[in-house]
Amino acid sequence: MLSYGARGNPTAFALEDLVSELEGGYRTKLFATGLQAITQTFLAYLRPGDHLLLSDGVYGPVRRLARELLQPFGVQVEFFAADGQGLEPALRANTRMVYSESPSSLLYELNDLPAMAALCKARGVLLAVDNTWGSGYLYQPLALGADISIMALTKYLGGHSDVMMGSVCTTGEAFAALSRSSDTCGCTVSPDDAWLVLRGARSLASRMAVHEQQGLEIARWLQGHEAVARVYHRPWRSILGMRCGSAISRAVTACSVSSWRMLLWAGPRPSRTVCGCSALAPRGAVTRAW
């Protein structure tokens, strides 16, 4: 039902339904960027005095968000290992949320989400996961026990380097707080931007298959290059040190090609596009993370 433009529009609602179906969740809210989706997640569920556990492998700007927004407003923030080890001893009586990114930025450490979810649920702690690399197509954190799944639709779902957007999909129990906070803050996206992501979603499966193939090709090429000391490519058991499910393996294989694109500059200006079809790998070797 349409009630007020700041609460959405029919095109955005169609995209929310699509993301909910991909993520296997109850409902979804859309935001202008992936970082805004993360910010709104914190604003919806955290209050002064709460304790937040952040993965040490989170998207870089999340650290600044914690330092410059959450901590000044009285939220206690601590980090746990990017691979999820040592989480249980870090949990406190006032821990409200555990925030993970799996695969993580930028070395793609994997978390045992079902085990983390079991720890959280037994204590009434929310488990939020950045699922940008998984894209909702390759795997679904909500199906593994998470309460909240966040994506930067700018990347794989949009896929064409011409739109920015974020999404938060939750379980039925967690949605009310997110919905209220989103409406209160006037968070919405334009019909045109929502249409661009809907268009990109049509080719998601085809693009992810190509990403997976190219990721393996690039990893093999880098492994044999004399200037490369080590290749962080998680599907390789010699690096991972553990077996991972096929969906997770495909997710980190696909995102590895985007990692290669992030590590390069095109001439004097850095290429800042990640996961889009026009994010080409130019010549050069200057590290740049976006």
Side-chain angles (χ1 to χ4, degrees):
M1 181 182 72
L2 287 176
S3 61
Y4 187 57
R7 295 193 177 99
N9 55 78
T11 313
F13 297 154
L15 179 56
E16 288 175 355
D17 290 344
L18 183 146
V19 172
S20 297
E21 184 174 354
L22 274 175
E23 293 268 47
Y26 172 66
R27 287 184 63 184
T28 295
K29 298 297 287 188
L30 300 176
F31 303 91
T33 66
L35 184 57
Q36 189 191 34
I38 297 169
T39 302
Q40 203 62 42
T41 298
F42 292 151
L43 292 178
Y45 299 103
L46 299 176
R47 296 294 180 266
D50 285 344
H51 178 234
L52 168 67
L53 282 170
L54 284 175
S55 167
D56 198 39
V58 295
Y59 172 57
V62 177
R63 295 176 179 273
R64 185 174 64 189
L65 177 63
R67 182 178 64 251
E68 298 185 7
L69 178 65
L70 298 182
Q71 289 179 326
F73 278 92
V75 176
Q76 302 167 24
V77 179
E78 282 189 276
F79 290 87
F80 63 94
D83 62 2
Q85 299 299 310
L87 175 62
E88 186 171 9
L91 292 167
R92 301 181 188 172
N94 64 330
T95 301
R96 173 61 175 157
M97 177 183 290
V98 171
Y99 183 94
S100 169
E101 185 171 344
S102 182
S104 68
S105 296
L106 291 167
L107 296 182
Y108 308 113
E109 291 96 343
L110 299 176
N111 290 174
D112 186 343
L113 292 184
M116 292 172 64
L119 286 174
C120 291
K121 289 187 185 304
R123 295 164 174 81
V125 175
L126 292 168
L127 176 59
V129 180
D130 186 328
N131 190 33
T132 297
W133 295 130
S135 75
Y137 172 73
L138 295 175
Y139 82 105
Q140 298 80 28
L142 298 177
L144 300 176
D147 303 287
I148 303 157
S149 183
I150 303 161
M151 293 195 293
L153 305 183
T154 308
K155 299 181 174 68
Y156 284 137
L157 213 65
H160 289 73
S161 311
D162 56 5
V163 63
M164 299 183 72
M165 195 177 297
S167 67
V168 182
C169 184
T170 78
T171 62
E173 295 78 7
F175 184 73
L178 177 72
S179 181
R180 284 195 305 271
S181 177
S182 178
D183 289 349
T184 299
C185 294
C187 298
T188 189
V189 300
S190 74
D192 289 344
D193 284 349
W195 180 87
L196 287 171
V197 179
L198 284 167
R199 171 218 54 188
R202 296 173 183 173
S203 61
L204 178 64
S206 299
R207 286 187 285 106
M208 296 307 281
V210 174
H211 280 319
E212 181 179 358
Q213 176 187 349
Q214 291 179 340
L216 284 169
E217 291 175 2
I218 291 172
R220 292 189 182 111
W221 180 82
L222 289 171
Q223 184 69 21
H225 198 289
E226 61 182 10
V228 176
R230 184 178 182 185
V231 178
Y232 289 88
H233 191 64
R234 291 295 168 180
W236 292 356
R237 289 188 187 179
S238 60
I239 297 171
L240 183 58
M242 60 177 283
R243 296 189 64 183
C244 58
S246 60
I248 303 297
S249 177
R250 290 172 60 206
V252 294
T253 302
C255 72
S256 293
V257 68
S258 299
S259 172
W260 171 244
R261 289 163 179 160
M262 281 198 296
L263 294 175
L264 299 173
W265 270 5
R269 298 185 62 186
S271 173
R272 296 188 174 188
T273 306
V274 181
C275 309
C277 61
S278 62
L280 302 178
R283 295 181 181 179
V286 181
T287 302
R288 176 76 175 191
W290 175 248

